[in-house]
Amino acid sequence: MTTTAQHAASRVEENDKNAIVVRLQRNQKDLVQLRTKLNSYRCEPKTYSLYERIESLRSKMDSLSHSNSEIILSLKGKRKTVSNQLDRAKRHLTEFRRLNEGVEEYLTICTGQQSPFF
C-alpha cells in the first residue's frame, strides 16, 4: 500500500517538476522579449532617474535569466526529491512577475502614455 502511495506521490512531483520546467523555459523567452523592448529606441531614458531604473531592470533580468537557467538544469538533471528546487522555482516565478510589472511601468512612462502633468 505504501509503495503505491509513494509511486503516486513521485508521479505528482514529476508532473509538477515538468510543468515548472516548461514555465521557466517560457519565462526565459519572455525575458529575451522584455530585454528587446527595453533596448528599443523608444525606451531610451531621458532623465537620470529613468537611466537608473532601466539599469536596475536590466540587472534584474540578467539575474533572473541566470537563476532561471540554473533551476532548469537542476530540475532536469536530478532524479531525487526536488521540493527545494520547486520552491525556488515558484519564488523565481513571483520575481519574474514583479520584473514584468516594472518593465511595463517603465515602458508606459517612456512611451508617453502617462500624463505629462504628473
Side-chain angles (χ1 to χ4, degrees), residues 3-93:
T3 57
T4 305
Q6 289 172 343
H7 183 65
S10 173
R11 273 189 305 176
V12 168
E13 187 174 278
E14 189 69 26
N15 289 340
D16 286 348
K17 181 175 88 167
N18 291 336
I20 293 287
V21 167
V22 168
R23 183 65 193 139
L24 290 172
Q25 289 170 334
R26 196 173 304 139
N27 277 5
Q28 196 71 2
K29 290 177 185 176
D30 290 344
L31 283 169
V32 170
Q33 290 176 343
L34 287 175
R35 182 170 288 281
T36 301
K37 282 182 183 180
L38 283 182
N39 289 338
S40 165
Y41 72 93
R42 295 175 56 204
C43 296
E44 285 297 316
K46 294 172 181 55
T47 65
Y48 185 70
S49 65
L50 287 177
Y51 174 79
E52 287 179 327
R53 187 180 236 171
I54 198 169
E55 287 303 313
S56 172
L57 290 169
R58 287 177 178 158
S59 175
K60 287 178 186 174
M61 280 184 199
D62 291 342
S63 175
L64 282 175
S65 180
H66 179 71
S67 63
N68 200 8
S69 298
E70 285 180 351
I71 295 169
I72 290 170
L73 288 174
S74 175
L75 288 173
K76 282 183 171 182
K78 289 186 179 177
R79 283 290 182 200
K80 301 175 190 173
T81 159
V82 292
S83 61
N84 289 341
Q85 291 301 327
L86 291 176
D87 290 339
R88 182 177 173 207
K90 289 175 185 175
R91 287 190 307 273
H92 179 75
L93 293 173

